[in-house]
Amino acid sequence: MKKTFFTTFLLLTFFIPVMFPQEEKKVASPLFEQPLLITSAGQSAEVRLASVLAKRGELNFILSKTATPKDLENIKTLALVLGVSLKGLGAAGLDIAKEKERVNLLVEEAQKKNIPLLCLHLGGESRRGQLSDAFISIFLPKAKMVIVVKSGNKDKLFTRLCEEHKIPLIEVEKTVDTLEPLKNAFK
Amino acid sequence: MRKMKALFTKKTTLSFIISLLLVVSFSCRPTEIKIPEPPSDRHQPYNFVGRKGMVVAAHHLAAKAGLEMLKKGGNAIDAAVTTAFALNASEPFASGIGGGGFMVIYLASEKRVTVVDFREKAPSGIPGEIFNDKGKIKSTGLAVAVPGTLAGWDYSLKKYGTKSLADVTQEAIKIAENGFAVSQTFSRINKDQYEKLIMNAGEGTCYLNKGFPYEPGDLFRNPELAGTLKLIASRGIDEFYKGEIAQKVVKAVNEKGGVMDLKDLALYKPVEHPPVQGTYKDYTLFTIPPPSSGGVHIIQLLNMLENWPVKKWGSNSPPYIHHLCEALRFVFADRSRYLGDPDFIKVPVEELISKKHAKQIVSQIKPDSLLDFYPFGRYDEKKNDQGNTTHVCVIDDQGNIVSLTQSINHFFGTGIVPENTGFLLNNIMYDFSRDLSSPNAVGPYRRPLSSMSPLIMFKKEKPFLVLGSPGGTRIFSSLTQIIINITDFDMSLDEAIEAPRFFSYSSQGKPRSISLESRFPEKTYEALKNIGHSIRIREAFDKYFGGAQGILILQDKKVILGGADSRRDGYGAGY
């Protein structure tokens, strides 16, 4: 009897996770603290979108599209909105190299101060491409969590990078669906 | 006997089946040519085919609306205005009644080409200095010029059309009421302009989906625009220029720091004038004179290209790109020195489009190096000069043609929507120069310099090509490349439209880098760098270079081809 029970238990232990795999988008508990600093990595318009989401989620946030290390004062979370827009870069008086350098300095400083990084990709498929992908590859591995609009992950770039670096990934259908996971990610 | 009976039965059955198949096949045979569906890869060149008429526009619903008008007996002008109204509903971010534009009309019975100019004008109270140090207009309201679109459409319709405003607005009203699924293009532009829309139209605007950008496939409806169009259809355009809508426009502009008054709207009038005309080899070209620079510059570029062995160099070859870019740099120098509103300054159009002027420039261009200086002036660089605007081509069964380019300037214009009207106001004032000594300086009632270049090209006095494009200052460069692709590189219409594009210009006499789509071979980029050009590689099909629409008339085959650019959502509808 004991043996049968033990065998059944082992089998169930083995098969249940296989039969009902845990969804990759489930994040057990809030990972981040407030206030958060929202900035862009590539100057796409989605940085503004992230701020509207944060506002609707009643999060305590500061938006600075071109934040520098000194803006991290009293900040508990850094949110990077990934996606390159040449128009946005032009309007901010930046080019790819300068933007990369700015974000790099910011992330390095955040790491020094143990400020966790949240990466958002809200532009979907149209905000992918050589330039955006370069930013994704550099900064996403440093994130503690990633939220991505599904169409931006058609080729599973985000899935692959998150698996490789063991980062929780949340995929949402539409930009508006980012609101709940964003709220839930914060204490 | 049984065998005979069996055979008879088999034979009868067989004959019956064959007869039935034949009858069915003949009775179902279409009387028109079967036109294949457009390919699923929208970048694959595809020519829409027609025999009697054709409408090409930047949205399939707008092109179909125009085609329906042709089928109902409307002429090319009726169909063009129908399509233009429908574009306000289906592609609202690029044009609409809050903007302006230019229309080239060919009247087949008179064998005459004419131009209707409904470019926006600066308000009477505009201050001399509207730009700040960073090149931005000091307030959003100051960016709005007096819209000319409705006045231009109404003028063209009354003078050359056969239908009423109520007839030509029907389809647009349906589109605005019923809505449509948002495309990838719409969604991307909506996301790009999100900040402007949030700030100027507010989270509750129909141009956002509950405060967020539209995703591809979302339903976009604009009942307020439908209401505005119904008002205009029933009361006429005075409702817009002198009535309740005029009051809403003025209120919305001035609340955002503008200076427009009711008199500015009431006084707005479109202008009809002769086209500017040029030749390229056996072809004659009719297009827009100033205040658009585009027509003059296309003729200038073609005049220069006539002097070079373009065909021998080959399509998109390094020498072709190098020479055309050098030509563009001279053209931009001319643009900043001479071009502006001809009602206020003298523009030496005849001199600029002369073959002599082209030869003078050609003699300075070196085959294997860049010039250090392009001596005629300086180009006023604009940071936000994006690929915007829209183009419509129409031909009817009588041979009448319309080539219409219209705009609200940047995508979604200012983002200002007058209260409950559903239409966007332009930010055309950005087309003025920041330099107060420029021929294109700001002033009351002035029309800012445009690059729009709707054109009609003739071969041996018969219409051959109808063409136009959005794309800011890339318009005349892109259209020139399309023309050369057809005339010299023997491409079909849509091949010519989809082919990789490039662009360059000069600023303050100095050459700027060449922007190229990423589809050129690596060796082309290297060859250009070796000549001394710096290059900037853009997307494979980048709407920065415009979204051209064209119609090619093959007189000998009695076939009309439509070409629509996949850089945006171009679509053709022929019959």
Side-chain angles (χ1 to χ4, degrees):
Chain A
M1 179 67 185
K2 261 185 186 173
K3 200 178 170 185
T4 316
F5 177 75
F6 186 66
T7 315
T8 314
F9 176 74
L10 271 182
L11 281 171
L12 282 173
T13 315
F14 179 74
F15 279 113
I16 282 177
V18 177
M19 288 162 67
F20 307 103
Q22 212 178 2
E23 279 181 49
E24 61 180 354
K25 63 182 183 184
K26 289 272 188 272
V27 176
S29 57
L31 294 172
F32 301 102
E33 289 181 68
Q34 301 176 52
L36 82 145
L37 171 66
I38 301 173
T39 192
S40 173
Q43 299 301 319
S44 67
E46 288 89 67
V47 69
R48 182 66 192 229
L49 206 53
S51 76
V52 172
L53 286 161
K55 189 178 121 198
R56 289 203 187 173
E58 295 177 347
L59 298 177
N60 179 8
F61 74 96
I62 295 166
L63 168 69
S64 172
K65 292 186 214 171
T66 52
T68 57
K70 66 175 173 19
D71 295 316
L72 289 168
E73 193 74 30
N74 301 323
I75 291 296
K76 300 261 176 70
T77 301
L78 174 63
L80 270 191
V81 185
L82 300 163
V84 172
S85 157
L86 290 174
K87 180 181 164 265
L89 285 170
L94 293 165
D95 58 25
I96 293 282
K98 281 183 194 159
E99 176 69 344
K100 232 177 240 178
E101 194 190 342
R102 179 189 69 82
V103 181
N104 207 27
L105 287 173
L106 188 68
V107 171
E108 273 177 13
E109 184 67 15
Q111 284 179 325
K112 268 187 218 163
K113 292 185 165 176
N114 289 322
I115 297 172
L117 180 66
L118 166 65
C119 278
L120 305 169
H121 186 269
L122 307 175
E125 196 178 6
S126 57
R127 194 65 74 194
R128 286 287 309 281
Q130 214 178 335
L131 297 175
S132 291
D133 288 3
F135 276 74
I136 293 165
S137 306
I138 297 169
F139 299 112
L140 189 128
K142 294 168 184 173
K144 197 172 175 185
M145 188 174 119
V146 175
I147 305 179
V148 55
V149 171
K150 204 172 181 178
S151 66
N153 192 26
K154 265 187 185 165
D155 62 352
K156 300 287 171 198
L157 173 71
F158 289 94
T159 308
R160 191 171 52 74
L161 285 170
C162 286
E163 276 173 5
E164 220 171 89
H165 298 275
K166 298 187 173 49
I167 305 165
L169 169 68
I170 301 180
E171 247 187 16
V172 294
E173 278 299 323
K174 294 181 176 185
T175 315
V176 66
D177 303 328
T178 312
L179 184 57
E180 278 309 303
L182 185 68
K183 249 166 61 179
N184 296 338
F186 283 85
K187 286 177 187 167
Chain B
M1 183 68 188
R2 230 186 297 155
K3 206 175 175 182
M4 278 288 285
K5 199 175 172 183
L7 188 68
F8 179 73
T9 314
K10 271 185 196 167
K11 258 187 177 174
T12 315
T13 314
L14 197 66
S15 315
F16 177 71
I17 290 168
I18 291 169
S19 310
L20 190 69
L21 281 172
L22 281 171
V23 167
V24 169
S25 101
F26 274 102
S27 62
C28 293
R29 180 176 288 177
T31 49
E32 291 173 19
I33 317 158
K34 179 144 177 62
I35 299 166
E37 282 293 304
S40 55
D41 172 7
R42 61 198 194 92
H43 295 311
Q44 195 181 317
Y46 175 83
N47 290 302
F48 297 89
V49 183
R51 294 273 188 199
K52 293 179 176 175
M54 173 73 68
V55 182
V56 192
H59 196 279
H60 65 100
L61 291 174
K64 285 171 187 167
L67 179 68
E68 283 312 305
M69 178 49 76
L70 287 181
K71 285 182 176 174
K72 278 185 205 164
N75 67 12
I77 294 87
D78 300 320
V81 178
T82 301
T83 309
F85 268 114
L87 279 170
N88 194 162
S90 59
E91 199 205 30
F93 51 82
S95 71
I97 58 176
F102 300 92
M103 197 184 301
V104 185
I105 302 172
Y106 172 64
L107 301 155
S109 60
E110 300 175 37
K111 293 193 185 311
R112 178 169 72 94
V113 182
T114 187
V115 165
V116 179
D117 168 349
F118 47 98
R119 181 73 163 160
E120 302 91 326
K121 287 185 172 182
S124 55
I126 200 79
E129 185 60 87
I130 59 168
F131 293 94
N132 64 21
D133 295 343
K134 291 178 180 170
K136 286 201 166 182
I137 291 182
K138 288 172 182 167
S139 73
T140 314
L142 281 175
V144 186
V146 181
T149 304
L150 257 181
W153 293 347
D154 188 60
Y155 175 91
S156 309
L157 201 62
K158 281 183 178 147
K159 187 158 182 190
Y160 298 114
T162 63
K163 302 284 181 182
S164 68
L165 264 180
D167 295 328
V168 297
T169 47
Q170 270 178 24
E171 286 302 313
I173 291 168
K174 270 189 222 166
I175 296 167
E177 277 176 343
N178 300 334
F180 56 91
V182 160
S183 68
Q184 189 79 250
T185 308
F186 188 128
S187 169
R188 183 167 179 174
I189 293 169
N190 199 219
K191 284 173 184 167
D192 280 344
Q193 302 300 326
Y194 181 68
E195 182 150 16
K196 178 164 74 184
L197 289 166
I198 278 279
M199 283 172 68
N200 297 326
E203 283 188 38
T205 176
C206 71
Y207 292 108
L208 293 173
N209 193 1
K210 292 172 190 158
F212 291 100
Y214 284 89
E215 301 285 350
D218 285 351
L219 180 72
F220 172 78
R221 292 177 66 244
N222 191 346
E224 288 185 342
L225 178 66
T228 300
L229 297 181
K230 280 178 190 170
L231 263 182
I232 292 164
S234 63
R235 297 184 191 170
I237 66 159
D238 273 358
E239 179 58 26
F240 186 93
Y241 287 99
K242 294 172 183 166
E244 194 187 328
I245 302 173
Q247 287 172 13
K248 287 181 177 179
V249 169
V250 168
K251 184 169 174 265
V253 170
N254 295 343
E255 274 175 2
K256 293 281 181 187
V259 290
M260 198 177 289
D261 65 27
L262 287 169
K263 191 181 69 189
D264 293 329
L265 281 158
L267 287 177
Y268 186 87
K269 292 276 176 293
V271 193
E272 183 177 359
H273 44 66
V276 64
Q277 183 178 340
T279 60
Y280 177 70
K281 296 181 178 173
D282 295 337
Y283 303 92
T284 308
L285 182 88
F286 295 93
T287 179
I288 301 291
S292 180
S293 66
V296 168
H297 297 331
I298 290 180
I299 296 170
Q300 281 189 289
L301 291 167
L302 291 172
N303 283 346
M304 287 184 235
L305 285 162
E306 250 178 358
N307 293 277
W308 291 317
V310 169
K311 192 164 187 157
K312 194 178 139 198
W313 286 337
S315 159
N316 279 337
S317 60
Y320 171 62
I321 298 170
H322 164 69
H323 282 82
L324 186 49
C325 286
E326 287 288 89
L328 277 163
R329 288 161 183 158
F330 274 101
V331 155
F332 272 98
D334 279 351
R335 185 179 199 268
S336 63
R337 176 150 182 183
Y338 297 115
L339 275 292
D341 185 343
D343 285 353
F344 294 84
I345 58 154
K346 181 172 172 10
V347 183
V349 172
E350 289 310 316
E351 290 83 351
L352 289 169
I353 63 170
S354 69
K355 303 281 182 190
K356 189 179 155 197
H357 182 60
K359 278 190 191 297
Q360 278 171 357
I361 294 175
V362 163
S363 67
Q364 296 175 67
I365 292 174
K366 296 172 187 167
D368 49 7
S369 65
L370 273 69
L371 292 175
D372 280 342
F373 190 60
Y374 304 84
F376 294 104
R378 61 193 177 86
Y379 167 56
D380 199 11
E381 274 186 278
K382 288 189 169 56
K383 280 182 181 171
N384 273 324
D385 185 14
Q386 295 296 305
N388 33 47
T389 313
T390 200
H391 185 78
V392 175
C393 301
V394 184
I395 183 166
D396 67 21
D397 61 357
Q398 300 301 306
N400 299 306
I401 295 169
V402 172
S403 187
L404 160 65
T405 309
Q406 54 185 27
S407 186
I408 50 173
N409 205 16
H410 299 161
F411 286 129
F412 288 98
T414 47
I416 299 174
V417 181
E419 193 185 358
N420 302 329
T421 60
F423 68 86
L424 288 152
L425 288 172
N426 69 80
N427 60 354
I428 291 282
M429 296 294 286
Y430 267 105
D431 279 355
F432 279 114
S433 173
R434 279 170 281 165
D435 178 358
L436 293 175
S437 63
S438 160
N440 184 32
V442 183
Y445 300 118
R446 280 196 178 202
R447 292 166 295 175
L449 190 61
S450 166
S451 298
M452 290 185 244
S453 333
L455 64 89
I456 304 174
M457 210 165 156
F458 289 70
K459 188 179 183 180
K460 292 175 188 163
E461 296 182 0
K462 289 192 171 164
F464 172 68
L465 178 66
V466 190
L467 194 63
S469 179
T473 48
R474 274 78 57 205
I475 292 176
F476 41 89
S477 162
S478 292
L479 294 181
T480 303
Q481 288 170 56
I482 294 168
I483 290 170
I484 297 296
N485 286 345
I486 293 169
T487 57
D488 290 62
F489 301 138
D490 303 320
M491 291 188 199
S492 76
L493 175 61
D494 203 44
E495 259 183 291
I497 289 172
E498 302 298 345
R501 287 188 203 151
F502 57 89
F503 171 72
S504 190
Y505 63 99
S506 63
S507 177
Q508 302 191 23
K510 293 288 174 194
R512 293 298 184 200
S513 59
I514 305 180
S515 289
L516 302 107
E517 286 183 320
S518 63
R519 292 176 286 147
F520 288 84
E522 196 58 42
K523 63 180 182 190
T524 303
Y525 303 134
E526 289 307 315
L528 292 168
K529 283 183 201 165
N530 289 338
I531 295 173
H533 297 279
S534 61
I535 63 166
R536 185 175 177 187
I537 300 171
R538 303 189 70 99
E539 289 174 29
F541 290 86
D542 201 319
K543 60 183 180 300
Y544 170 81
F545 298 98
Q549 327 291 357
I551 288 177
L552 193 70
I553 304 128
L554 302 175
Q555 302 277 1
D556 52 339
K557 293 177 184 160
K558 295 187 168 38
V559 165
I560 304 161
L561 300 180
D565 205 323
S566 69
R567 289 171 185 83
R568 296 252 292 262
D569 292 334
Y571 192 87
Y575 78 122

